[in-house]
Protein backbone atom coordinates (compact mmCIF):
# COMPACT_ATOMS: atom_id res chain seq x y z
CA UNK A 1 0.00 0.00 0.00
CA UNK A 2 1.35 3.42 -0.92
CA UNK A 3 1.04 5.95 1.89
CA UNK A 4 1.10 9.71 1.43
CA UNK A 5 0.38 12.48 3.97
CA UNK A 6 -2.97 13.00 2.25
CA UNK A 7 -4.05 9.35 2.44
CA UNK A 8 -7.24 9.20 4.46
CA UNK A 9 -7.66 6.66 7.20
CA UNK A 10 -10.68 5.28 5.34
CA UNK A 11 -8.75 4.84 2.09
CA UNK A 12 -6.02 2.98 3.90
CA UNK A 13 -8.43 0.49 5.46
CA UNK A 14 -10.29 0.11 2.17
CA UNK A 15 -7.00 -0.60 0.37
CA UNK A 16 -5.89 -3.14 2.96
CA UNK A 17 -8.13 -4.28 5.73
CA UNK A 18 -5.23 -5.25 7.99
CA UNK A 19 -4.73 -1.54 8.66
CA UNK A 20 -7.96 -1.69 10.72
CA UNK A 21 -6.38 -3.72 13.52
CA UNK A 22 -3.51 -1.21 13.75
CA UNK A 23 -5.89 1.74 13.92
CA UNK A 24 -7.98 -0.04 16.50
CA UNK A 25 -4.89 -0.47 18.67
CA UNK A 26 -4.16 3.24 18.50
CA UNK A 27 -7.80 4.22 19.08
CA UNK A 28 -8.06 5.78 15.60
CA UNK A 29 -11.61 5.80 14.24
CA UNK A 30 -11.51 4.55 10.64
CA UNK A 31 -15.27 4.37 10.02
CA UNK A 32 -17.21 7.51 11.00
CA UNK A 33 -14.01 9.56 11.33
CA UNK A 34 -12.42 7.91 8.30
CA UNK A 35 -12.34 11.04 6.16
CA UNK A 36 -9.42 12.40 8.18
CA UNK A 37 -5.92 12.04 6.79
CA UNK A 38 -3.56 9.92 8.85
CA UNK A 39 -1.75 13.08 9.95
CA UNK A 40 -4.98 14.76 11.09
CA UNK A 41 -6.13 11.66 12.99
CA UNK A 42 -2.75 11.36 14.72
CA UNK A 43 -2.51 15.07 15.57
CA UNK A 44 -5.93 14.91 17.23
CA UNK A 45 -4.77 12.02 19.44
CA UNK A 46 -1.21 13.22 20.07
CA UNK A 47 0.21 10.28 18.16
CA UNK A 48 3.26 10.18 15.94
CA UNK A 49 1.95 9.78 12.38
CA UNK A 50 5.15 8.22 11.09
CA UNK A 51 5.09 5.62 13.87
CA UNK A 52 1.47 4.69 13.02
CA UNK A 53 2.30 4.64 9.30
CA UNK A 54 5.21 2.28 9.98
CA UNK A 55 2.92 0.00 12.02
CA UNK A 56 0.37 -0.04 9.18
CA UNK A 57 3.05 -0.78 6.60
CA UNK A 58 4.40 -3.61 8.75
CA UNK A 59 0.94 -5.14 9.24
CA UNK A 60 0.25 -4.97 5.51
CA UNK A 61 3.66 -6.23 4.34
CA UNK A 62 2.82 -9.92 4.02
CA UNK A 63 0.73 -10.57 0.89
CA UNK A 64 -2.87 -11.01 1.96
CA UNK A 65 -4.24 -14.27 0.61
CA UNK A 66 -7.37 -14.24 2.77
CA UNK A 67 -10.71 -13.14 1.32
CA UNK A 68 -10.72 -9.91 3.33
CA UNK A 69 -10.46 -7.53 0.41
CA UNK A 70 -14.07 -6.50 0.86
CA UNK A 71 -13.83 -3.81 -1.78
CA UNK A 72 -13.47 -6.62 -4.34
CA UNK A 73 -16.76 -8.29 -3.35
CA UNK A 74 -19.73 -7.60 -5.60
CA UNK A 75 -22.57 -5.71 -3.95
CA UNK A 76 -24.84 -8.72 -3.35
CA UNK A 77 -21.96 -10.63 -1.72
CA UNK A 78 -21.00 -7.60 0.35
CA UNK A 79 -24.56 -7.22 1.66
CA UNK A 80 -24.75 -10.94 2.43
CA UNK A 81 -21.45 -10.71 4.31
CA UNK A 82 -22.61 -7.70 6.36
CA UNK A 83 -25.86 -9.40 7.33
CA UNK A 84 -24.56 -12.91 7.90
CA UNK A 85 -21.38 -11.96 9.75
CA UNK A 86 -21.87 -8.59 11.42
CA UNK A 87 -25.63 -8.34 11.97
CA UNK A 88 -25.64 -11.94 13.16
CA UNK A 89 -22.77 -11.21 15.55
CA UNK A 90 -24.50 -8.11 16.97
CA UNK A 91 -27.72 -10.07 17.52
CA UNK A 92 -25.83 -12.84 19.29
CA UNK A 93 -23.64 -10.54 21.38
CA UNK A 94 -26.33 -8.15 22.64
CA UNK A 95 -28.23 -10.42 25.09
CA UNK A 96 -25.04 -11.56 26.86
CA UNK A 97 -23.63 -8.04 26.99
CA UNK A 98 -26.83 -6.56 28.38
CA UNK A 99 -26.93 -9.29 31.03
CA UNK A 100 -23.24 -8.88 31.92
CA UNK A 101 -23.22 -5.08 32.06
CA UNK A 102 -26.29 -5.12 34.33
CA UNK A 103 -24.80 -7.83 36.53
CA UNK A 104 -21.60 -5.81 36.93
CA UNK A 105 -23.51 -2.61 37.70
CA UNK A 106 -25.48 -4.44 40.38
CA UNK A 107 -22.56 -6.33 41.94
CA UNK A 108 -19.76 -3.79 41.64
CA UNK A 109 -21.49 -0.44 41.00
CA UNK A 110 -20.99 0.71 44.58
CA UNK A 111 -17.20 0.49 44.31
CA UNK A 112 -17.04 1.29 40.59
CA UNK A 113 -19.91 3.70 39.85
CA UNK A 114 -18.86 4.06 36.20
CA UNK A 115 -20.34 0.58 35.68
CA UNK A 116 -23.82 2.04 36.14
CA UNK A 117 -23.19 4.37 33.21
CA UNK A 118 -21.70 1.56 31.12
CA UNK A 119 -24.91 -0.48 31.56
CA UNK A 120 -27.12 2.50 30.66
CA UNK A 121 -25.07 3.43 27.60
CA UNK A 122 -24.88 -0.16 26.36
CA UNK A 123 -28.67 -0.50 26.74
CA UNK A 124 -29.05 2.39 24.31
CA UNK A 125 -26.57 0.83 21.88
CA UNK A 126 -28.43 -2.50 22.05
CA UNK A 127 -31.79 -0.88 21.43
CA UNK A 128 -30.58 1.44 18.67
CA UNK A 129 -28.53 -1.19 16.82
CA UNK A 130 -31.43 -3.66 16.81
CA UNK A 131 -33.71 -1.07 15.21
CA UNK A 132 -30.95 0.11 12.89
CA UNK A 133 -30.20 -3.34 11.49
CA UNK A 134 -33.92 -3.95 11.02
CA UNK A 135 -34.12 -0.83 8.83
CA UNK A 136 -31.09 -1.87 6.80
CA UNK A 137 -32.36 -5.40 6.24
CA UNK A 138 -35.98 -4.41 5.75
CA UNK A 139 -35.62 -1.36 3.51
CA UNK A 140 -32.22 -0.09 2.45
CA UNK A 141 -30.28 -3.25 1.60
CA UNK A 142 -33.10 -4.83 -0.45
CA UNK A 143 -33.42 -1.54 -2.37
CA UNK A 144 -29.69 -1.37 -3.10
CA UNK A 145 -29.75 -5.01 -4.24
CA UNK A 146 -32.74 -4.41 -6.49
CA UNK A 147 -31.16 -1.24 -7.96
CA UNK A 148 -27.97 -3.15 -8.80
CA UNK A 149 -30.03 -5.91 -10.41
CA UNK A 150 -32.00 -3.35 -12.42
CA UNK A 151 -28.78 -1.74 -13.72
CA UNK A 152 -27.38 -5.14 -14.64
CA UNK A 153 -30.60 -5.95 -16.50
CA UNK A 154 -30.35 -2.64 -18.41
CA UNK A 155 -33.49 -1.09 -16.89
CA UNK A 156 -34.30 2.48 -17.93
CA UNK A 157 -35.93 3.35 -14.62
CA UNK A 158 -34.73 2.77 -11.06
CA UNK A 159 -36.93 0.54 -8.91
CA UNK A 160 -39.51 2.69 -7.12
CA UNK A 161 -38.41 3.78 -3.66
CA UNK A 162 -40.56 4.96 -0.74
CA UNK A 163 -37.83 7.35 0.43
CA UNK A 164 -37.06 9.54 -2.61
CA UNK A 165 -33.33 9.82 -3.16
CA UNK A 166 -31.22 6.98 -1.80
CA UNK A 167 -29.21 9.68 -0.06
CA UNK A 168 -32.04 10.08 2.49
CA UNK A 169 -31.93 6.62 4.11
CA UNK A 170 -28.15 6.47 3.74
CA UNK A 171 -27.71 9.75 5.65
CA UNK A 172 -29.99 8.41 8.36
CA UNK A 173 -27.92 5.21 8.62
CA UNK A 174 -24.69 7.22 8.76
CA UNK A 175 -26.06 9.35 11.59
CA UNK A 176 -27.06 6.21 13.48
CA UNK A 177 -23.56 4.77 12.96
CA UNK A 178 -22.16 7.96 14.43
CA UNK A 179 -24.43 7.64 17.45
CA UNK A 180 -23.44 4.00 18.07
CA UNK A 181 -19.75 4.77 17.55
CA UNK A 182 -19.89 7.70 19.97
CA UNK A 183 -21.66 5.57 22.59
CA UNK A 184 -19.05 2.81 22.34
CA UNK A 185 -16.26 5.40 22.53
CA UNK A 186 -17.86 6.65 25.75
CA UNK A 187 -17.88 3.09 27.12
CA UNK A 188 -14.21 2.78 26.16
CA UNK A 189 -13.53 5.99 28.09
CA UNK A 190 -15.61 4.95 31.11
CA UNK A 191 -13.78 1.61 31.30
CA UNK A 192 -10.32 3.16 30.88
CA UNK A 193 -9.80 1.46 27.53
CA UNK A 194 -11.49 -1.75 28.74
CA UNK A 195 -8.97 -2.17 31.55
CA UNK A 196 -10.45 -4.10 34.49
CA UNK A 197 -9.35 -2.95 37.96
CA UNK A 198 -7.11 -5.16 40.06
CA UNK A 199 -10.06 -6.39 42.14
CA UNK A 200 -12.09 -7.43 39.05
CA UNK A 201 -13.76 -10.84 39.09
CA UNK A 202 -13.90 -13.14 36.08
CA UNK A 203 -17.27 -11.82 34.84
CA UNK A 204 -15.87 -8.30 35.05
CA UNK A 205 -12.88 -9.25 32.90
CA UNK A 206 -14.95 -11.23 30.41
CA UNK A 207 -17.49 -8.43 30.10
CA UNK A 208 -14.77 -5.89 29.28
CA UNK A 209 -13.30 -8.22 26.67
CA UNK A 210 -16.78 -8.69 25.17
CA UNK A 211 -17.35 -4.93 25.07
CA UNK A 212 -14.01 -4.39 23.35
CA UNK A 213 -14.79 -7.10 20.79
CA UNK A 214 -18.20 -5.49 20.19
CA UNK A 215 -16.61 -2.10 19.49
CA UNK A 216 -13.99 -3.68 17.24
CA UNK A 217 -16.67 -5.46 15.22
CA UNK A 218 -18.77 -2.29 15.05
CA UNK A 219 -15.85 -0.43 13.47
CA UNK A 220 -15.48 -3.06 10.76
CA UNK A 221 -19.23 -3.30 10.22
CA UNK A 222 -19.64 0.47 9.86
CA UNK A 223 -16.57 0.70 7.64
CA UNK A 224 -18.08 -1.81 5.19
CA UNK A 225 -21.30 0.19 5.02
CA UNK A 226 -20.07 3.81 5.16
CA UNK A 227 -16.97 3.40 3.05
CA UNK A 228 -17.77 0.63 0.56
CA UNK A 229 -21.49 -0.15 0.28
CA UNK A 230 -23.01 3.33 0.59
CA UNK A 231 -20.63 5.06 -1.86
CA UNK A 232 -21.53 2.38 -4.41
CA UNK A 233 -25.25 2.98 -3.86
CA UNK A 234 -24.82 6.76 -4.15
CA UNK A 235 -22.71 6.35 -7.29
CA UNK A 236 -25.46 4.31 -8.95
CA UNK A 237 -27.80 7.24 -8.53
CA UNK A 238 -25.28 10.03 -9.12
CA UNK A 239 -23.98 8.61 -12.35
CA UNK A 240 -27.51 8.61 -13.73
CA UNK A 241 -27.21 4.97 -14.59
CA UNK A 242 -30.96 4.88 -15.06
CA UNK A 243 -31.16 7.96 -17.30
FE1 LIG B 1 -25.36 -2.90 9.34
FE1 LIG C 1 -25.44 0.20 9.61
Amino acid sequence: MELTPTSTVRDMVTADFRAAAVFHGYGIDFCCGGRQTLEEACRERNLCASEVARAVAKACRVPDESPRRYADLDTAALIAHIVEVHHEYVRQAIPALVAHTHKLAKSHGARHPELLDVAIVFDSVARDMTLHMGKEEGVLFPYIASAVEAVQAGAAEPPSAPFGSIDNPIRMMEEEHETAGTAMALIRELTDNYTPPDDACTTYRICFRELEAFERDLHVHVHLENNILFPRARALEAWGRFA
Side-chain angles (χ1 to χ4, degrees):
M1 184 193 333
E2 199 165 317
L3 295 179
T4 71
T6 55
S7 298
T8 65
V9 172
R10 174 179 58 182
D11 290 344
M12 291 166 73
V13 176
T14 302
D16 194 317
F17 183 72
R18 289 168 297 177
V22 177
F23 290 146
H24 182 82
Y26 282 102
I28 293 174
D29 172 13
F30 58 86
C31 44
C32 295
R35 290 185 181 86
Q36 286 185 314
T37 65
L38 179 62
E39 284 198 349
E40 287 166 346
C42 288
R43 201 178 311 128
E44 202 173 286
R45 293 163 184 79
N46 284 325
L47 295 167
C48 170
S50 52
E51 181 196 314
V52 178
R54 273 198 302 277
V56 170
K58 189 177 169 198
C60 302
R61 198 176 295 148
V62 180
D64 187 8
E65 300 298 334
S66 67
R68 289 186 296 169
R69 291 189 56 86
Y70 298 116
D72 295 342
L73 290 177
D74 70 35
T75 301
L78 180 61
I79 289 174
H81 175 84
I82 290 169
V83 172
E84 288 163 17
V85 175
H86 296 285
H87 288 197
E88 182 63 24
Y89 165 75
V90 172
R91 288 193 173 103
Q92 277 186 9
I94 277 176
L97 267 169
V98 168
H100 289 163
T101 51
H102 280 258
K103 188 176 172 191
L104 287 192
K106 199 171 163 200
S107 311
H108 304 286
R111 286 185 67 182
H112 301 285
E114 70 279 4
L115 294 174
L116 303 172
D117 291 328
V118 169
I120 291 168
V121 176
F122 192 77
D123 275 352
S124 73
V125 172
R127 192 177 52 242
D128 292 351
M129 280 301 291
T130 302
L131 290 171
H132 174 83
M133 295 188 305
K135 285 184 254 184
E136 288 180 337
E137 290 174 27
V139 181
L140 182 57
F141 290 179
Y143 182 80
I144 294 174
S146 67
V148 169
E149 271 177 32
V151 167
Q152 285 168 347
E157 293 287 325
S160 63
F163 41 69
S165 166
I166 201 159
D167 201 44
N168 295 327
I170 287 179
R171 263 190 291 116
M172 182 193 281
M173 295 303 107
E174 287 171 338
E175 280 168 23
E176 291 176 2
H177 292 162
E178 186 87 38
T179 302
T182 303
M184 290 309 300
L186 176 57
I187 289 177
R188 174 185 279 271
E189 199 182 313
L190 287 165
T191 58
D192 189 20
N193 232 357
Y194 306 111
T195 310
D198 291 341
D199 64 346
C201 63
T202 304
T203 305
Y204 208 136
R205 292 174 191 278
I206 288 175
C207 183
F208 275 24
R209 282 216 299 270
E210 287 172 330
L211 283 167
E212 184 172 21
F214 190 91
E215 189 191 21
R216 188 186 295 259
D217 179 81
L218 183 69
H219 286 170
V220 178
H221 176 181
V222 169
H223 165 67
L224 296 181
E225 292 173 0
N226 279 13
N227 299 335
I228 302 179
L229 181 62
F230 295 168
R232 283 188 196 175
R234 283 189 165 115
L236 266 184
E237 192 172 79
W239 291 342
R241 295 287 293 273
F242 294 104

